[in-house]
Amino acid sequence: MRLPRRAFDFYLDASIHVAFAIFSLVGCTCALLNIPWNSHLSYFLFFGSISCYNFIKYGVEAEKYIKVANSYHRGIQYFSFLCLIGALYHAFYLDRAIWWGVSGLVCLTGLYALPVLPGAKNLRSLGGLKIFLVAVVWAGATVWLPVLGAKTPWSWDIGVETTQRFVLVLALLLPFEIRDLRYDSPSLRTLPQRFGIPKVKFFGLVLVGVFCLLPFLKDSLTNLELSINGIVAIVLGLYIWKTKENQSAYYASFWVESVPIMWWLLILGCKYLTFFPEVLASF
């Protein structure tokens, strides 16, 4: 059992699960906004997010990241470099409009990872601001970049979808904030440190409620979308309610992070079930 466990740990530690979550949210955007799937953009975000997340997690200092003594982290490092090559390959096929969007998100990510403020190492060290910045980057990457790639003009529904995505990611990050409470320095002033775990949970449940209500502002809305959103909200709400400081090793890093993947699979499954009777009828 050691090999499957080590492989699963590598899957999580190397940010592959996070990359699948981002990949899934791109799929959700294409399905919900009815825009074409851009495979090069999707794989660029998948491979690029692995490289970016691992760089942030395992050392934003170049010397620390290049000179890795631990063999396990060295394996993650080599894997990250291979993913970077994959991201660069798919980046070659992206439109100029997408590149402008990517440039803006890279700048935000740089603010998150690199020292830019006096008295703070980076915006990541400002705990209260960190999760809002991450939510902006995820919403931009998984909604605006697919929209730019499809050359779809801005619409009210795109704005609602962007806001809903921001709210979803913000809610997803709260269990991670609670998990890290015992490790974070008091100077970070994260949301759990400032307001306590019960209030952060309540805030998360409010966000889940907003996630459910926002689609009603859309000009185009289906009962199927509402039903899927309801399932996602119930699952995420339960995760937030049950989260605690001393949670299991995989609670946030796997189960909570699986919510975007579940959302996309539900959309794909419902579309398949809707399409399948039409296929049978054609015979």
Side-chain angles (χ1 to χ4, degrees), residues 18-32:
V18 175
F20 272 121
I22 293 174
F23 189 88
S24 299
L25 289 178
V26 173
C28 292
T29 297
C30 294
L32 295 173

Side-chain angles (χ1 to χ4, degrees), residues 4-219:
R5 177 68 175 269
R6 286 175 62 87
F8 184 68
D9 286 341
F10 184 88
Y11 168 79
L12 295 178
D13 293 338
S15 305
I16 303 173
H17 195 55
V18 175
F20 272 121
I22 293 174
F23 189 88
S24 299
L25 289 178
V26 173
C28 292
T29 297
C30 294
L32 295 173
L33 295 179
N34 196 27
I35 60 177
W37 173 272
N38 188 325
S39 59
H40 286 298
L41 173 61
S42 301
Y43 290 119
F44 167 76
L45 289 174
F46 178 80
F47 291 120
S49 59
I50 291 175
S51 302
C52 181
Y53 261 85
N54 288 342
F55 178 71
I56 292 173
K57 282 199 300 184
Y58 298 109
V60 295
E61 300 174 10
E63 181 179 358
K64 179 180 177 182
Y65 196 59
I66 293 173
K67 298 178 181 179
V68 178
N70 185 292
S71 60
Y72 181 74
H73 288 154
R74 192 182 301 119
I76 293 177
Q77 179 192 56
Y78 294 154
F79 177 72
S80 301
F81 285 144
L82 289 176
C83 289
L84 179 60
I85 294 173
L88 292 175
Y89 168 77
H90 290 286
F92 180 78
Y93 295 95
L94 298 180
D95 293 336
R96 182 178 299 179
I98 296 180
W99 267 111
W100 281 111
V102 170
S103 299
L105 295 176
V106 167
C107 290
L108 286 176
T109 305
L111 292 175
Y112 175 77
L114 301 175
V116 293
L117 295 177
K121 294 180 179 179
N122 45 48
L123 292 185
R124 189 186 184 192
S125 65
L126 301 178
L129 180 61
K130 178 187 69 174
I131 61 172
F132 293 94
L133 182 61
V134 174
V136 169
V137 172
W138 274 53
T142 62
V143 178
W144 274 101
L145 292 186
V147 168
L148 289 174
K151 296 181 173 60
T152 303
W154 188 90
S155 67
W156 173 257
D157 283 2
I158 292 174
V160 173
E161 190 68 37
T162 305
T163 306
Q164 187 192 34
R165 192 65 47 84
F166 172 83
V167 168
L168 173 69
V169 176
L170 199 58
L172 286 170
L173 290 171
L174 295 180
F176 291 89
E177 292 286 286
I178 295 174
R179 179 198 66 182
D180 295 339
L181 182 58
R182 53 180 171 170
Y183 306 111
D184 287 336
S185 168
S187 63
L188 290 178
R189 294 180 59 79
T190 62
L191 293 183
Q193 289 174 338
R194 297 175 64 182
F195 304 107
I197 293 177
K199 289 184 178 179
V200 169
K201 285 186 177 183
F202 178 77
F203 176 56
L205 295 178
V206 170
L207 290 175
V208 171
V210 173
F211 170 82
C212 282
L213 293 175
L214 277 171
F216 287 99
L217 299 178
K218 287 184 174 181
D219 294 328

